[in-house]
Amino acid sequence: MPLKFHIVDVFAEKKYAGNQLAVFTEAASLSTEEMQQIAKEMNYSETTFIGSSQERDGGYDVRIFTPAKELPFAGHPTLGTAFILQYAIIQQSVETIVLNLKVGQIPVAMTYRDRSPDILTMKQNPPVFGDVVTAAAIAPVLNLDITDIDSRFPIQEVSTGVPFLIVPLKTLAALKRIKVNVDRLAEVVKSLQAKEVFVFCPETRNPANHFSARMFAPLLGIAEDPATGSANGCFAGYLAQHNYLEFASVDVRVEQGYEIGRPSLLLLKAQKQDDIIEVSVGGNVILVAQGEFV
């Protein structure tokens, strides 16, 4: 029986930008091994599989795979899959779609323009803050000078389901110069939960945006990711936790993916109240292709 799939660009302002995602809509008959093989065949950073067109416990069962392994959560697959659920399965305007992921239930809110989904926004789990790394340790990993790193803020592990090492830089020039030394990265992260590195600075190409960012995961088979919703959720929590903007709330636009020819825009919000930080990440999803595996 042919397997139907759709390809979307997530966090994209136009086609052929943002982060690519393949979504399989009729995956109930597939084994875990078959899903992994298909994800490897697609060879995108992630591929998702919708288990059923019917809700279970108020949400849709979805599994996320990289070419190498299954993930409990990932940002652009969450938004992209919610888009396809509305487009191909629900086929009517709804305010919220809930995905049942390995990390738990993740709601995705949807706004519309001309009856088509416009901005999709997911609420992520509250961020958890982990170990801190020194500038002296991380600078050689990125082939940067210690002076490129903003010493006012920590280099720290943060997770909303998937852990990332968040690295603050001073300038866009430094962000552009990064060349990851994989051997040194492996040495630095061997004792950490985070194996992925998210680097940001407060300078942007587009003056309408607030931050530029890059995300590297060579140890997981992703040299650089064009748009990383899970990492940006961690980043939003980081901004709130460390009072980076000197406000109690965060509402910012982040550009990512320019260095690899996939410009992306992510819309971040965070609110800290007592010791709890609420985080959401949003953006556009654009349908690019659809077809069948035979």
Side-chain angles (χ1 to χ4, degrees):
M1 180 178 174
L3 289 171
K4 294 181 180 180
F5 71 92
H6 299 74
I7 294 174
V8 292
D9 288 337
V10 185
F11 300 121
E13 296 182 275
K14 60 181 181 180
K15 282 186 178 181
Y16 316 127
N19 209 341
Q20 300 156 298
L21 176 73
V23 183
F24 286 79
T25 55
E26 301 170 353
S29 63
L30 296 175
S31 67
T32 297
E33 291 73 22
E34 288 171 326
M35 291 182 193
Q36 186 64 74
Q37 288 174 334
I38 291 170
K40 186 175 182 180
E41 181 72 16
M42 295 305 301
N43 204 35
Y44 291 154
S45 57
E46 282 97 11
T47 296
T48 64
F49 300 87
I50 299 171
S52 172
S53 61
Q54 302 299 316
E55 291 180 293
R56 181 181 63 82
D57 296 333
Y60 293 89
D61 291 343
V62 174
R63 297 177 70 179
I64 304 171
F65 289 79
T66 74
K69 68 174 187 176
E70 185 171 7
L71 295 179
F73 171 71
H76 88 272
T78 298
L79 292 192
T81 305
F83 177 94
I84 294 301
L85 279 163
Q86 189 279 333
Y87 171 80
I89 293 177
I90 301 172
Q91 297 184 341
Q92 61 182 346
S93 297
V94 291
E95 292 184 357
T96 304
I97 294 175
V98 176
L99 274 61
N100 299 331
L101 303 177
K102 294 287 186 180
V103 78
Q105 289 195 318
I106 300 294
V108 178
M110 310 181 77
T111 62
Y112 295 82
R113 178 184 297 177
D114 299 328
R115 298 185 179 181
S116 296
D118 182 24
I119 302 296
L120 286 76
T121 304
M122 60 184 155
K123 182 179 179 181
Q124 298 188 10
N125 289 336
V128 176
F129 298 88
D131 290 347
V132 171
V133 173
T134 67
I138 202 65
V141 170
L142 305 175
N143 277 295
L144 295 177
D145 297 326
I146 291 179
T147 55
D148 290 320
I149 296 171
D150 191 342
S151 61
R152 297 174 301 165
F153 301 98
I155 302 162
Q156 187 172 28
E157 286 184 293
V158 187
S159 176
T160 62
V162 175
F164 293 85
L165 186 64
I166 309 292
V167 183
L169 300 185
K170 296 176 182 177
T171 67
L172 183 59
L175 189 81
K176 291 179 178 179
R177 289 204 317 271
I178 292 173
K179 294 186 183 301
V180 176
N181 184 314
V182 179
D183 291 339
R184 289 195 172 191
L185 174 62
E187 184 67 23
V188 168
V189 303
K190 68 180 181 181
S191 62
L192 303 178
Q193 291 187 357
K195 308 304 177 187
E196 304 171 80
V197 180
F198 181 87
V199 187
F200 75 93
C201 74
E203 296 181 351
T204 61
R205 298 163 182 81
N206 184 339
N209 300 333
H210 303 95
F211 293 96
S212 297
R214 300 178 73 178
M215 199 289 285
F216 306 95
L219 300 177
L220 302 180
I222 303 170
E224 181 169 357
D225 199 38
T228 319
S230 50
N232 274 276
C234 296
F235 175 47
Y238 174 100
L239 293 174
Q241 175 73 6
H242 299 297
N243 200 28
Y244 189 101
L245 299 170
E246 300 180 356
F247 298 107
S249 61
V250 172
D251 187 353
V252 297
R253 296 161 55 97
V254 178
E255 56 186 40
Q256 188 182 337
Y258 282 77
E259 288 78 9
I260 54 174
R262 303 282 304 189
S264 306
L265 177 65
L266 301 97
L267 310 175
L268 314 187
K269 291 186 178 181
Q271 181 72 46
K272 184 175 182 180
Q273 188 168 4
D274 299 324
D275 291 329
I276 302 297
I277 300 175
E278 292 188 353
V279 169
S280 66
V281 177
N284 296 108
V285 179
I286 299 174
L287 180 65
V288 174
Q290 52 194 1
E292 294 179 340
F293 266 38
V294 296

